[in-house]
Amino acid sequence: MTRRLFVIGLGLVFAASYAAAQAGGDKRRSGYQDMGEALQKMQDDDTANPGMLFVQLGGQLWAKTAGAADRSCADCHGAAAASMKGVAARYPAMSPTGDRPIDLEGRINLCRTEHQKAEPLPPENRDLLALAAYVARQSRGLAIAPPDDPRLEAFRAQGAEIYRRRQGQLNLSCAICHDDNAGKKLAGVTIPEAHPTGYPIYRLEWQALGSLKRRLRNCLVGIRAEAWPLDAPEYTALELYLMERAKGLKLETPAVRP
């Protein structure tokens, strides 16, 4: 009963904050707004954005057959520009074959195993990131719109609890940095509000494209907490909460960050 009341209360908080944002002007900031002009121009220019190299690879993989079924993504879905528009804005979502939510990369792997009869791609694999970036690119400029699915409520509540939980040797939570100290400087870099608007994302620090899981794992290591395996369900629960928290903000994939 207590947990149910918590879930209901969490939903009311989301609804109230979103309504206030719409009524009084949304003051939430994407990490894009905290970057310098040079990096903003890099992200905005598809000929200079290094993440677009992965999008191009994803387009090639979209049309390439794979697995025992010898089928491509395009064989089922056709042109991604039409069939995938808005999809990334709605993930994570409930798995169609299970009882847990999956992120966009998980949905791509589910298609591989179920429809292409191919092996799933491992986390942070270049081809998986490229396909995810290609699919998400079709939703660039659209508002994040988490699914209104009551089955997700408990998982979203779990993500909210993780976000506020102190962890690691530094005894910090996500909220301490990204709510209480957003906009301040840490090692000369502006602390963002942690809205996941651009994943998969190209970080200059990585010199590569990476998933939200990779970024969250970096944060756990940074506060000297034990990082979960990349296939841990905690990442999906946390992403569910973060996407709800960013509801209405526009997708930027592939974004660029320092």
Side-chain angles (χ1 to χ4, degrees):
M1 183 66 178
T2 302
R3 182 174 182 80
R4 180 170 178 79
L5 289 173
F6 174 74
V7 171
I8 293 172
L10 183 64
L12 291 173
V13 169
F14 283 143
S17 61
Y18 183 64
Q22 296 304 303
D26 196 340
K27 295 182 174 60
R28 293 173 299 170
R29 294 172 61 85
S30 159
Y32 173 89
Q33 294 164 283
D34 294 323
M35 297 194 304
E37 183 181 357
L39 284 183
Q40 289 180 348
K41 287 182 176 180
M42 180 185 290
Q43 177 175 311
D44 294 341
D45 184 353
D46 283 350
T47 65
N49 184 335
M52 288 303 297
L53 296 174
F54 292 85
V55 172
Q56 291 172 12
L57 173 61
Q60 296 168 12
L61 294 169
W62 180 266
K64 184 178 179 181
T65 60
D70 195 33
R71 294 183 65 82
S72 69
C73 305
D75 287 334
C76 288
H77 299 289
S83 63
M84 293 293 109
K85 186 175 182 179
V87 169
R90 300 191 296 269
Y91 269 80
M94 213 67 189
S95 170
T97 61
D99 58 355
R100 298 192 65 85
I102 55 175
D103 57 16
L104 184 59
E105 289 93 340
R107 189 65 182 88
I108 290 169
N109 265 334
L110 188 61
C111 278
R112 284 181 60 83
T113 57
E114 293 291 317
H115 302 297
Q116 293 179 301
K117 307 302 178 186
E119 289 294 318
L121 296 168
E124 299 308 303
N125 173 272
R126 184 195 66 166
D127 288 357
L128 180 59
L129 290 170
L131 278 167
Y134 180 68
V135 171
R137 169 66 180 80
Q138 313 311 316
S139 299
R140 189 167 72 175
L142 298 182
I144 291 173
D148 185 16
D149 185 340
R151 296 175 298 170
L152 294 171
E153 289 177 355
F155 300 102
R156 194 172 284 130
Q158 179 191 8
E161 187 276 326
I162 293 171
Y163 184 81
R164 294 182 175 87
R165 182 201 307 162
R166 289 177 178 267
Q167 299 186 67
Q169 293 178 346
L170 298 185
N171 196 32
L172 293 173
S173 70
C174 308
I176 289 173
C177 282
H178 300 295
D179 288 348
D180 300 345
N181 291 288
K184 298 179 182 178
K185 297 289 185 179
L186 178 64
V189 178
T190 301
I191 299 173
E193 294 181 0
H195 297 302
T197 53
Y199 288 88
I201 210 165
Y202 190 95
R203 290 187 67 88
L204 302 185
E205 173 190 356
W206 299 337
Q207 289 293 292
L209 200 74
S211 72
L212 179 58
K213 289 189 184 76
R214 182 175 179 179
R215 187 69 191 95
L216 296 174
R217 188 179 176 88
N218 283 174
C219 282
L220 288 169
V221 172
I223 62 175
R224 300 177 187 172
E226 184 175 353
W228 309 303
L230 283 171
D231 59 353
E234 286 86 351
Y235 290 116
T236 307
L238 189 50
E239 184 176 355
L240 269 169
Y241 171 70
L242 291 175
M243 290 294 275
E244 185 70 35
R245 184 169 164 270
K247 182 177 181 179
L249 295 179
K250 292 182 179 180
L251 285 176
E252 307 168 32
T253 309
V256 175
R257 296 292 185 266

